[in-house]
């Protein structure tokens, strides 16, 4: 037997409770599979936030529009890396597209991903920035001029007919993009919910819970980025924008919390044979990550903070700086809560024996492809990509509250 595996098992076995089968001692889906749904969730949530401007004409959140799109793109580029890295032969990932297996939900991710990247997000970003890139190229020199000209496909047409076509295309793409964003993250929940052999995952509510937690994580992250980047780039945070975005976040968290509560009540009401071991797992192995981080810190505390802010803002004209600080804390806590949600689903679902008589444990590695260091790298990589994207397609003018380009206003109307 592999000496490294023997060493790992020797450390794990003393922590095992009850009776489990030998093949259940080692958890096969590790930290990378936790990171994967977290990143895809941010993509879906950020795009939904952007669609508030284009489809639902919520003008208050206009400063977040371009930042939302760029954030969605940065995270989407990293999304498959966690999944592909987890495979034994990551160099063969392209075979998903060349030899499609339509009966595999996981394999269909390649097509969902390609559709969302190529037909939705890249097209929308291109149409949003096309006239801007032409204008930027006319006033630039050097490398950036060539980049913007190439990205604009060497077009110099800024006539009324072209701009009108951009507006129509944007509207259509955004409308098509909303169900695509739901599909991108809904299928992740579909995969977990379809595994009948695992009662922790097998629930019809899992895809819906994944969807709303995705919306929560995406909106919260874009608000967080906006509150950090705007002062750093010399702008002033628009509280009108943040207040409105927080309103949507507040309602999304309530729906997400309600769905998870209904799922929990349903499991308790059913009280099938697995309820005893699941209860034991929640109160022992997952107590800190589920009860403390996910429920208390990730949901109840942010909901309370935002609720108090909404009440006192109207009654006592709450100070803007205090509201900023409360919102800032709330969106950070929500990020930890959503990541804990992914952790509890993925790792928690592998911690109990299929005999319902024992609990195993998970030992996180620090180095290696499945280790903490690589997971941190994957979580940091979208931020680095976003920094590059904002250099090429700067969203600062809109974020700083300056009048939006004519095209954007018209498209949103």
């Amino acid at each position: 037997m592999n000496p490294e595996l023997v060493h790992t098992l020797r450390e794990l076995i003393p922590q095992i409770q009850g009776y489990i089968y030998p093949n259940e001692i080692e958890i096969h889906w590790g930290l990378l599979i936790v990171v994967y749904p977290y990143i895809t969730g941010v993509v879906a949530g950020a795009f939904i936030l952007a669609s508030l401007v284009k489809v639902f004409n919520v003008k208050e959140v206009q400063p977040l529009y371009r930042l939302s799109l760029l954030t969605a793109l940065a995270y989407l580029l990293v999304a498959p890396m966690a999944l592909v890295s987890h495979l034994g032969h990551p160099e063969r990932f392209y075979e998903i597209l060349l030899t499609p297996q339509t009966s595999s939900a996981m394999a269909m991710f390649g097509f969902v991903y390609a559709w969302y990247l190529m037909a939705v997000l890249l097209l929308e970003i291109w149409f949003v920035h096309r006239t801007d890139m032409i204008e930027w190229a006319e006033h630039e020199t050097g490398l950036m001029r060539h980049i913007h000209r190439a990205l604009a496909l060497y077009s110099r047409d800024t006539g009324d007919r072209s701009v009108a076509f951009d507006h129509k295309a944007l509207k259509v793409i955004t409308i098509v993009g909303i169900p695509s964003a739901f599909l991108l993250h809904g299928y992740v929940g579909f995969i977990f919910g379809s595994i009948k052999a695992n009662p922790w995952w097998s629930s019809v509510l899992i895809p819906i819970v994944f969807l709303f937690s995705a919306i929560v994580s995406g909106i919260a992250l874009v608000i967080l980025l906006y509150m950090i980047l705007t002062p750093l780039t010399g702008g002033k945070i628009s509280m009108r924008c943040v207040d409105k975005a927080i309103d949507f976040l507040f309602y999304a968290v309530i729906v997400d919390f309600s769905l998870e509560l209904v799922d929990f009540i349903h499991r308790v009401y059913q009280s099938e044979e697995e309820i005893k071991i699941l209860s034991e797992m929640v109160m022992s192995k997952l107590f800190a990550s589920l009860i403390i981080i996910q429920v208390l810190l990730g949901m109840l505390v942010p909901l309370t903070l935002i609720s108090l802010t909404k009440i006192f803002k109207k009654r006592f004209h709450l100070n803007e700086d205090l509201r900023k600080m409360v919102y800032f804390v709330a969106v950070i806590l929500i990020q930890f809560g959503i990541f804990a949600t992914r952790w509890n689903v993925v790792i928690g679902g592998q911690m109990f024996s299929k005999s319902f008589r024992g609990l195993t444990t998970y030992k996180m590695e620090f180095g290696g492809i499945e280790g903490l260091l690589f997971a941190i790298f994957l979580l940091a990589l979208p931020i680095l990509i976003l920094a590059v994207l904002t250099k090429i397609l700067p969203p600062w003018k809109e974020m700083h509250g300056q009048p939006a380009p004519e095209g954007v206003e018209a498209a949103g109307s």
Side-chain angles (χ1 to χ4, degrees):
M1 186 179 286
N2 187 337
E4 189 176 342
L5 179 61
V6 172
H7 177 71
T8 303
L9 294 179
R10 190 174 293 148
E11 291 184 349
L12 292 179
I13 287 174
Q15 303 176 47
I16 291 171
Q17 301 173 10
Y19 174 81
I20 67 172
Y21 291 111
N23 63 346
E24 295 170 335
I25 292 175
E26 189 183 12
I27 289 180
H28 298 286
W29 286 5
L31 195 54
L32 289 183
I33 305 301
V34 178
V35 170
Y36 165 64
Y38 172 77
I39 290 179
T40 56
V42 169
V43 175
F47 187 85
I48 296 297
L49 179 59
S51 70
L52 292 175
V53 178
K54 278 284 172 279
V55 179
F56 302 104
N57 202 22
V58 184
K59 293 189 180 298
E60 290 91 339
V61 295
Q62 178 77 51
L64 302 179
Y65 175 64
R66 296 192 183 205
L67 179 64
S68 299
L69 288 179
L70 296 179
T71 302
L73 178 59
Y75 276 80
L76 188 66
L77 292 175
V78 178
M81 292 185 186
L83 201 57
V84 169
S85 301
H86 176 75
L87 299 175
H89 290 281
E91 72 278 5
R92 298 180 185 170
F93 74 94
Y94 63 90
E95 293 184 9
I96 289 176
L97 301 174
L98 297 181
T99 56
Q101 175 55 266
T102 55
S103 62
S104 168
M106 190 71 81
M108 292 310 292
F109 164 74
F111 294 95
V112 174
Y113 174 83
W115 162 263
Y116 192 76
L117 176 65
M118 304 299 291
V120 177
L121 205 49
L122 286 180
L123 272 181
E124 178 159 353
I125 290 174
W126 188 80
F127 277 112
V128 167
H129 292 91
R130 190 186 70 84
T131 52
D132 286 337
M133 289 187 291
I134 294 172
E135 183 183 345
W136 292 334
E138 289 178 355
H139 300 90
E140 289 171 335
T141 57
L143 179 63
M144 198 57 78
R145 183 180 190 182
H146 293 291
I147 290 176
H148 283 144
R149 279 192 173 175
L151 289 176
L153 303 180
Y154 299 97
S155 167
R156 296 188 178 183
D157 188 354
T158 56
D160 292 341
R161 291 186 62 184
S162 298
V163 173
F165 178 81
D166 292 347
H167 301 166
K168 291 178 183 175
L170 273 173
K171 192 91 174 185
V172 172
I173 293 168
T174 309
I175 292 173
V176 172
I178 293 175
S180 302
F182 277 62
L183 184 63
L184 178 70
H185 199 67
Y187 104 94
V188 182
F190 172 82
I191 290 175
F192 284 102
S194 302
I195 301 177
K196 296 177 183 176
N198 191 318
W200 187 246
W201 294 338
S202 180
S203 167
V204 293
L205 285 177
I206 283 285
I208 307 172
V209 170
F210 265 65
L211 275 176
F212 275 93
S213 59
I215 293 171
V216 168
S217 65
I219 295 177
L221 185 66
V222 173
I223 294 173
L224 179 64
L225 290 172
Y226 173 73
M227 295 183 75
I228 293 173
L229 293 176
T230 302
L232 289 178
T233 52
K236 184 177 183 301
I237 294 173
S238 166
M239 288 310 293
R240 184 166 170 257
C241 168
V242 176
D243 283 334
K244 194 68 177 178
I246 286 288
D247 283 346
F248 287 106
L249 177 64
F250 179 70
Y251 299 130
V253 173
I254 288 177
V255 175
D256 183 36
F257 180 67
S258 303
L259 286 170
E260 293 189 28
L261 188 61
V262 169
D263 185 44
F264 172 75
I265 293 172
H266 183 246
R267 290 175 190 275
V268 174
Y269 182 74
Q270 277 189 314
S271 293
E272 294 187 354
E273 61 271 21
E274 73 274 6
I275 191 66
K276 185 177 177 183
I277 191 69
L278 293 183
S279 303
E280 191 178 333
M281 181 178 71
V282 168
M283 297 311 296
S284 58
K285 302 284 184 180
L286 298 183
F287 184 81
S289 61
L290 197 152
I291 304 296
I292 303 296
I293 300 178
Q294 180 183 333
V295 177
L296 184 63
L297 295 179
M299 285 189 178
L300 295 181
V301 172
L303 279 176
T304 305
L305 289 175
I306 296 172
S307 299
L308 292 175
T309 307
K310 291 166 100 47
I311 293 169
F312 288 112
K313 184 182 76 170
K314 291 180 180 176
R315 292 189 178 179
F316 303 105
H317 302 288
L318 201 64
N319 183 279
E320 276 194 6
D321 290 336
L322 183 59
R323 273 161 47 215
K324 284 179 194 171
M325 188 177 70
V326 171
Y327 291 158
F328 192 77
V329 171
V331 293
I332 288 177
L333 288 177
I334 285 173
Q335 289 304 312
F336 281 107
I338 296 298
F339 191 83
T341 305
R342 310 303 185 219
W343 172 278
N344 294 323
V345 170
V346 176
I347 303 298
Q350 303 171 81
M351 276 189 163
F352 60 93
S353 169
K354 301 303 178 289
S355 65
F356 302 143
R357 286 186 292 172
L359 294 171
T360 183
T361 191
Y362 172 66
K363 181 177 181 299
M364 186 190 300
E365 299 173 5
F366 181 75
I369 204 72
E370 294 279 352
L372 177 64
L373 199 59
F374 188 65
I376 292 173
F377 168 73
L378 287 180
L379 291 172
L381 188 57
I383 303 298
L384 297 177
I385 294 175
L386 181 63
V388 174
L389 290 175
T390 55
K391 287 285 184 188
I392 298 172
L393 304 170
W396 315 127
K397 192 175 177 180
E398 194 172 51
M399 286 173 62
H400 295 172
Q402 296 177 25
E406 185 184 349
V408 174
E409 286 289 349
S413 60

